[in-house]
Amino acid sequence: MSRAAGPNKWALAGVLTGHFLLGFAWLVVFLGTVFLTSSYTGSADLVLLLAGLCWLVALPIIVKGWRSGSPWYWGVPVAWVTVFAIATVLVVAESVKSAGESSSVESGPPRPGTACPKRPPRAQSGQPQVAGPSHGASLIAFDSDRDGSPQIYVMNNDGSDQRRLTRSGADDLSPAWSPDGTKIAFESNRDGFPEIYVMNSDGSGQRRLTDTQEDSEDPTWSPDGTKIAFVSSGDPGGWGIFVMNADGSGQRVRARNVSSVAHPTWSPNGRQIAFVGTGDTTIYVMNSDGSGQRRLTDTHADSEDPAWSPVTSRIAFRRSFGDPDAAAAIYLVNPDGSAQRRLTHADAGEPAWAPDGTKIAFERRCWHSNDKADEDHEIYVMNADGSGQTRLTHNSADDARPSWQPTPRRP
């Protein structure tokens, strides 16, 4: 006797409808959960990919079960969504646990809206708290408006001996050490427009490298010290990534239509440059000649301030979710976009690696009371895994954009 085709067809239609609805519901819950918990990591990407493949594979399995006349095929959608619901819980739990471990360090900064750590007794006497030196580095350059307009300062990597290098009266920002540690590139509007300048490590020999009559910002040296990448509005198409020789000659555009805060950073071998794409939201990687551009981070959260480790294939960057009062954080990511990991809480950004890759200096928004208007930015340092977060600067002004000297200070 043949099967009753009608009821079986309606049963198949019902199971397939359930399969579509359960898949859609799981996708909404999955994306919503990882978004709200900042858990969109490499593990989440893998779960999302496997879930999509399993959802597709389940379709022919359901049809095969229906044709065989066996009743088990209706359980395929239920089994599928159960397995990946468990996977979602595990991914989120892993990410939250990792973030909790990073933020539970006793010396780490508090979450937004809480008071910043008090100045330690030694820091009050002119000797800031020691975070522990990093081998192969002695100075951190940064900009600060503690004396009026932003100027370039340097300090030891334990926060001691802070001293001013520039005295232009204009805005001097974004210091970047040369690979041999003898020069500092920076941006300044002392001649009317933000342009790229260079000086010796003691502040002497200041001279302008660009003369674009446009905004030129965020200089960064190639690992061999022969070139400097920077972002400029001097390209006819808008903001672009430019590369020039270390003496300012040979300026050429490498990427067009990028963010005004593109913040280029070179890979350790000098073959690639990471930067922020148009809209201040997404980090891209390209070859140093401008070819092979590809997106590194997703677009559901703002990603900026990339900093390539000088010794490993890891990129630190700042990630936020659009709300100016929400906590942005520093993350790590591989150059292929995988294995994202959160290192900090509170509003942190502008990561700068120590030359041996063991520590990261960064800028953090610091509240001195529960009144968010009572805030400034300070320089912190942490281990490369996010532990040992320690404050280096203690000012009522803004101390920002750290850059770590690649080689020890010479007498």
Side-chain angles (χ1 to χ4, degrees):
M1 182 180 294
S2 63
R3 284 197 307 265
N8 282 336
K9 289 183 178 180
W10 282 110
L12 176 63
V15 172
L16 290 177
T17 300
H19 183 61
F20 277 92
L21 292 177
L22 284 174
F24 179 76
W26 175 84
L27 181 63
V28 171
V29 172
F30 175 82
L31 293 178
T33 302
V34 298
F35 176 82
L36 292 175
T37 60
S38 303
S39 305
Y40 209 93
T41 63
S43 298
D45 288 332
L46 180 60
V47 169
L48 185 62
L49 176 62
L50 291 177
L53 291 175
C54 289
W55 186 88
L56 290 174
V57 170
L59 290 173
I61 294 177
I62 291 172
V63 174
K64 183 178 179 180
W66 171 75
R67 287 178 175 174
S68 69
S70 302
W72 57 261
Y73 71 91
W74 65 266
V76 173
V78 176
W80 174 89
V81 78
T82 300
V83 169
F84 284 96
I86 295 173
T88 299
V89 172
L90 293 177
V91 165
V92 172
E94 177 187 3
S95 177
V96 171
K97 179 181 177 182
S98 175
E101 290 174 350
S102 295
S103 63
S104 64
V105 180
E106 185 173 329
S107 61
R111 294 176 182 270
T114 61
C116 290
K118 299 291 186 181
R119 183 193 299 262
R122 290 190 63 191
Q124 292 176 350
S125 63
Q127 296 294 329
Q129 179 181 356
V130 175
S134 177
H135 298 294
S138 60
L139 296 178
I140 295 176
F142 61 99
D143 60 62
S144 175
D145 61 0
R146 64 184 68 179
D147 295 318
S149 61
Q151 299 293 294
I152 308 299
Y153 292 73
V154 293
M155 62 181 170
N156 294 331
N157 67 4
D158 62 3
S160 63
D161 194 20
Q162 298 178 23
R163 60 190 187 277
R164 182 174 173 179
L165 295 187
T166 64
R167 300 178 180 274
S168 68
D171 292 345
D172 296 344
L173 304 164
S174 303
W177 286 97
S178 63
D180 62 4
T182 63
K183 296 183 182 299
I184 299 175
F186 62 99
E187 67 178 77
S188 177
N189 63 357
R190 62 184 66 179
D191 293 321
F193 291 89
E195 300 282 3
I196 307 301
Y197 289 72
V198 70
M199 62 181 170
N200 298 324
S201 59
D202 61 359
S204 64
Q206 298 178 27
R207 60 188 179 90
R208 189 172 67 187
L209 296 182
T210 63
D211 188 12
T212 62
Q213 298 297 302
E214 301 284 350
D215 292 345
S216 296
E217 303 169 354
D218 286 337
T220 178
W221 298 76
S222 63
D224 62 6
T226 62
K227 297 184 182 299
I228 296 175
F230 61 99
V231 58
S232 177
S233 61
D235 184 68
W239 289 90
I241 301 293
F242 285 73
V243 173
M244 63 182 171
N245 296 325
D247 62 1
S249 63
Q251 298 177 25
R252 295 183 179 179
V253 66
R254 289 292 183 259
R256 290 185 160 89
N257 297 319
V258 303
S259 166
S260 60
V261 289
H263 206 119
T265 177
W266 298 77
S267 64
N269 59 15
R271 296 175 183 173
Q272 295 180 300
I273 297 175
F275 62 95
V276 181
T278 302
D280 304 357
T281 59
T282 309
I283 294 175
Y284 287 76
V285 172
M286 66 178 177
N287 297 325
S288 58
D289 62 1
S291 63
Q293 296 183 27
R294 55 187 174 83
R295 193 173 69 191
L296 184 64
T297 60
D298 55 80
T299 58
H300 85 282
D302 292 345
S303 300
E304 54 190 4
D305 301 349
W308 214 310
S309 168
V311 296
T312 64
S313 58
R314 297 286 275 165
I315 297 173
F317 67 100
R318 180 180 189 268
R319 187 180 183 88
S320 61
F321 291 88
D323 182 354
D325 292 326
I330 295 174
Y331 284 71
L332 289 182
V333 65
N334 290 331
D336 61 1
S338 65
Q340 290 188 27
R341 180 189 176 192
R342 185 172 185 168
L343 299 184
T344 69
H345 287 273
D347 197 331
E350 298 285 351
W353 291 85
D356 60 4
T358 62
K359 294 182 181 293
I360 299 174
F362 62 99
E363 166 192 332
R364 186 174 92 82
R365 186 163 58 166
C366 190
W367 284 273
H368 299 284
S369 68
N370 288 329
D371 179 8
K372 288 193 174 183
D374 183 19
E375 68 176 50
D376 58 49
H377 292 79
E378 302 289 353
I379 305 298
Y380 279 73
V381 68
M382 63 182 170
N383 297 322
D385 63 359
S387 64
Q389 297 175 23
T390 307
R391 183 173 171 180
L392 298 185
T393 63
H394 298 264
N395 292 283
S396 58
D398 288 336
D399 299 331
R401 289 169 282 273
S403 176
W404 214 309
Q405 185 186 29
T407 55
R409 179 173 44 181
R410 298 176 181 177

